Amino acid sequence: MTAEIIDGRKHAQTLLDSVAADIAAMPQAPGLAVVLVGGDPASAIYVRNKVRTAQTVGLRGETEILPDSVSEAELLAIIATLNARDDIDGILVQLPLPPHINTLRIMAAVDPAKDVDGLHALNAGRLLHGADALIPCTPLGCMKLITSLVPDLTGYHAVVIGASNIVGKPMAALLLDERATVTQTHIHTRDTQFICRGADILVSAVGKPGLVRGDWIKPRAIVIDVGTTRVEKAGGGHDVRGDVAFDEAVKVAGAITPVPGGVGPMTIACLMENTVKAAKARRARR
Ligand code: NAD
């Protein structure tokens, strides 16, 4: 028996089509600003993909590229300008930021109404309270994939490996909100594999290729692999690897996301959806 491979590209395209139809019906296309600090090649690719997809669905996408040497004060000033611009509905500051910049201070500076990455404490708090919020794109995309397979998570045990502010913590909050029983593990957890073996839904967001082995997985579980680690190829170039030992897991799981082509495309599609949501909410308040 092999698992169903969850086609993230197909799910993402369906969402993008619906977002594009929404935008086409709006009197003015929403605007998304993506801020990139430094020359990390992976971040540059992510930003390019985000802005390209924004343009494909009819958003006005723009990129602010800043050198590694930009000061925190300069970055805060740029965010203040974007906050004040009426034609910008969504602001995303690509992470990670260089070490001399305080990430939490930058996240706190983004207008919560334009915080399409859902990282402002107000949006994070609203998510925990079960109130309407802008939700971080990756866990939001994972939830859409999970509920496409299991619309009602009541009685399911979900395990989230990883507890970052951007993926692990909001992922656990979303699963809890959908009535799953949630266990969260992290680097200091003892016997993660024992905990994983009880998971009906297993989400891994760590960044360690091959961490989750086939014998960690409960037969027929849904496995969502968020991990994306660039590994050098012998002949040059690089591959992207997930956290899950896919060849082993696919023989045990009921459904599994591949890497690439699973969670990644959903993250970008959810960013577009969040930008439209932010634009509609701001316009309704005018
Ligand atoms: P992070 O480094 O901020 O957090 C990693 C988490 O994993 C931490 O909570 C840490 O405690 C935990 N961890 C580390 N080693 C562990 C171990 N051996 N066992 C259990 N837990 C362990 O990373 P992040 O920003 O949450 O990203 C996680 C992964 O997801 C990365 O590979 C990242 O590239 C990827 N990611 C993918 C997308 C996407 O769109 N596909 C989006 C965001 C992040």
Side-chain angles (χ1 to χ4, degrees), residues 187-254:
I187 185 86
H188 304 294
T189 303
R190 283 192 214 143
D191 209 354
T192 300
Q193 51 179 299
F194 171 78
I195 295 167
C196 290
R197 284 192 196 113
D200 304 302
I201 297 163
L202 179 61
V203 181
S204 185
V206 175
K208 293 210 169 127
L211 173 76
V212 178
R213 307 296 305 263
D215 62 359
W216 290 30
I217 294 167
K218 183 175 174 178
R220 304 217 49 79
I222 295 172
V223 178
I224 305 290
D225 191 351
V226 182
T228 40
T229 306
R230 279 160 69 97
V231 291
E232 300 299 324
K233 284 203 288 195
H238 72 275
D239 272 333
V240 176
R241 296 264 170 80
D243 290 345
V244 179
F246 185 87
D247 293 347
E248 296 174 9
V250 77
K251 296 181 188 139
V252 187

Side-chain angles (χ1 to χ4, degrees), residues 112-113 115 118-136 170 173-174 177 277 281 285:
D115 171 35
L119 292 177
H120 191 285
L122 188 78
N123 281 312
R126 290 181 66 84
L127 169 61
L128 279 185
H129 284 195
D132 187 44
L134 286 165
I135 294 167
L174 286 167
D177 223 32
K277 177 176 171 166
R285 282 199 301 271

Side-chain angles (χ1 to χ4, degrees), residues 32-92:
L32 171 67
V34 183
V35 181
L36 173 64
V37 181
D40 174 48
S43 292
I45 293 169
Y46 296 147
V47 166
R48 208 178 313 134
N49 287 342
K50 285 169 186 174
V51 175
R52 198 178 293 152
T53 307
Q55 286 157 351
T56 312
V57 293
L59 290 170
R60 284 174 298 103
E62 63 180 59
T63 322
E64 191 86 50
I65 299 174
L66 306 166
D68 244 323
S69 59
V70 73
S71 70
E72 190 175 293
E74 285 166 323
L75 181 55
L76 287 169
I78 287 163
I79 292 170
T81 305
L82 294 170
N83 282 343
R85 274 177 56 187
D86 196 43
D87 63 328
I88 293 295
D89 297 286
I91 302 168
L92 180 146

Side-chain angles (χ1 to χ4, degrees), residues 138 161-164 166-167 186-187 205-208 211 226-228 263-264 267:
T138 301
I161 316 177
S164 67
I166 191 162
V167 190
H186 46 76
I187 185 86
V206 175
K208 293 210 169 127
L211 173 76
V226 182
T228 40
V263 173
T267 296

